[in-house]
């Protein structure tokens, strides 16, 4: 009887298991084993039909990485004249690989092949779109014959390519037209508050600054802005006074 009170009914996750348990963070007030036991038997919880340590050798579904389509795309790129990228990519290659930073959780060869395939497909799509645009331009100016219904509609479209500028005042947004822009004034925050004029509204130190504030040790009972402004004004005044008297060059008259 005492053993039944101590033991936890099956199924349950062993205490100390750090993997994912669905909806565990929403259950409070019970031990880990009892909570996971209730979760595994709760029909309203979306959990896997298999246990964590189930036998998966009988599965008839298996994913091969990288797919054969990606391998074919990379090899086709190599045959078209790219002497650098070829499947399989040897681990340890330190050169640039496009789209590699977006792939995680796989071996280097798998990630490199999938990244190269994705990049090559993007290049082919961009090239096809550019060729289609050039064909539309040729059809609209009378070069070539339409092949299908889409080409006929493109040749008789209301808007002709290349598009002409109808608003000259917006020509500045075009990248191929140089525009004279006014020079930007230096930002006001580039001047140190130590050397601003005493009447300057920004002559204070931002709240939260934990460095040394000259002449600020003897001031109390004020807000940070007023206190640092008063301290900096005293510092600037003393600095300019000593600069004009003590630090002035000495002229020796004989």
């Amino acid at each position: 009887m005492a053993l039944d009170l101590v033991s936890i009914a099956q199924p349950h996750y062993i205490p100390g298991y750090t993997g994912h348990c669905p909806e565990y963070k929403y259950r409070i007030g019970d031990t880990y084993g009892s909570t996971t036991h209730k979760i595994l038997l709760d029909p309203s919880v979306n959990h896997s039909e298999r246990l964590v340590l189930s036998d998966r050798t009988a599965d008839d579904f298996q994913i091969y990485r990288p797919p054969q389509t990606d391998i074919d795309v990379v090899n086709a790129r190599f045959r078209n004249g790219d002497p650098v990228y070829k499947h399989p990519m040897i681990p340890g290659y330190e050169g640039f690989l496009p789209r590699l930073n977006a792939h995680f959780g796989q071996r280097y060869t798998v990630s490199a092949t999938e990244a190269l395939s994705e990049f090559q497909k993007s290049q082919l799509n961009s090239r096809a779109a550019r060729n289609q645009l050039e064909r539309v331009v040729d059809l609209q100016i009378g070069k070539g014959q339409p092949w299908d219904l889409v080409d006929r509609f493109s040749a008789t479209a209301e808007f002709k390519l290349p598009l002409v500028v109808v608003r000259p005042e917006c020509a500045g947004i075009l990248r191929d037209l140089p525009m004279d822009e006014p020079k930007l004034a230096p930002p006001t925050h580039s001047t140190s508050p130590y050397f601003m004029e005493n009447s300057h509204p920004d002559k204070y130190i931002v709240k939260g600054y934990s460095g040394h504030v000259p002449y600020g040790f003897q001031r109390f009972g004020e807000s940070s802005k007023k206190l640092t402004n008063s301290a900096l004004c005293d510092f600037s005044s003393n600095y300019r006074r000593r600069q004009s008297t003590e630090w002035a060059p000495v002229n020796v008259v004989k």
Side-chain angles (χ1 to χ4, degrees):
M1 182 65 180
L3 184 61
D4 295 338
L5 296 176
V6 174
S7 62
I8 304 174
Q10 295 288 347
H12 66 274
Y13 287 172
I14 300 176
Y17 172 69
T18 58
H20 173 67
C21 181
E23 298 189 10
Y24 172 73
K25 63 181 180 180
Y26 304 111
R27 307 291 181 99
I28 305 173
D30 210 339
T31 62
Y32 182 82
S34 300
T35 303
T36 55
H37 172 70
K38 296 176 183 178
I39 290 176
L40 291 175
L41 297 181
D42 191 349
S44 62
V45 177
N46 295 326
H47 51 74
S48 175
E49 298 178 357
R50 297 179 179 272
L51 297 178
V52 177
L53 302 179
S54 61
D55 185 11
R56 304 187 60 84
T57 58
D59 291 350
D60 56 354
F61 179 76
Q62 189 173 6
I63 299 177
Y64 294 93
R65 304 286 295 269
Q68 186 61 38
T69 54
D70 292 347
I71 297 176
D72 296 339
V73 171
V74 175
N75 290 336
R77 177 188 177 94
F78 177 79
R79 289 192 298 268
N80 290 334
D82 190 345
V84 179
Y85 305 129
K86 180 183 179 181
H87 178 78
M89 291 294 298
I90 300 177
Y93 173 70
E94 298 181 356
F96 173 71
L97 275 174
R99 304 292 180 88
L100 183 62
N101 294 334
H103 292 263
F104 307 94
Q106 293 293 332
R107 296 178 289 111
Y108 178 81
T109 302
V110 175
S111 301
T113 302
E114 294 181 353
L116 288 173
S117 175
E118 180 182 347
F119 174 73
Q120 181 65 11
K121 291 177 182 178
S122 175
Q123 293 290 310
L124 294 176
N125 293 335
S126 300
R127 191 178 306 167
R130 184 175 64 252
N131 293 337
Q132 178 64 23
L133 184 62
E134 293 176 354
R135 175 165 177 76
V136 171
V137 174
D138 293 340
L139 290 174
Q140 290 181 353
I141 63 178
K143 294 182 180 180
Q145 297 296 329
W147 293 343
D148 50 18
L149 188 61
V150 176
D151 290 348
R152 294 181 182 178
F153 280 112
S154 300
T156 59
E158 178 182 359
F159 301 100
K160 304 297 182 181
L161 297 178
L163 300 177
V164 297
V165 179
V166 296
R167 296 181 59 186
E169 66 275 11
C170 297
I173 63 176
L174 300 179
R175 296 182 178 179
D176 56 346
L177 294 180
M179 298 293 294
D180 295 333
E181 298 182 356
K183 296 182 179 180
L184 297 177
T188 56
H189 61 75
S190 60
T191 305
S192 174
Y194 292 93
F195 303 101
M196 291 180 178
E197 297 295 334
N198 292 345
S199 59
H200 200 285
D202 294 334
K203 191 178 181 61
Y204 65 92
I205 296 179
V206 181
K207 184 179 180 180
Y209 174 73
S210 57
H212 172 66
V213 180
Y215 290 86
F217 63 93
Q218 55 186 0
R219 287 176 170 78
F220 307 95
E222 294 180 334
S223 62
S224 174
K225 184 176 181 180
K226 292 183 179 180
L227 188 147
T228 54
N229 174 261
S230 177
L232 291 178
C233 288
D234 290 347
F235 169 77
S236 299
S237 300
N238 180 68
Y239 175 81
R240 293 190 179 95
R241 181 183 60 79
R242 298 186 64 181
Q243 189 178 28
S244 60
T245 57
E246 299 180 19
W247 302 335
V250 178
N251 297 324
V252 179
V253 180
K254 294 183 180 180

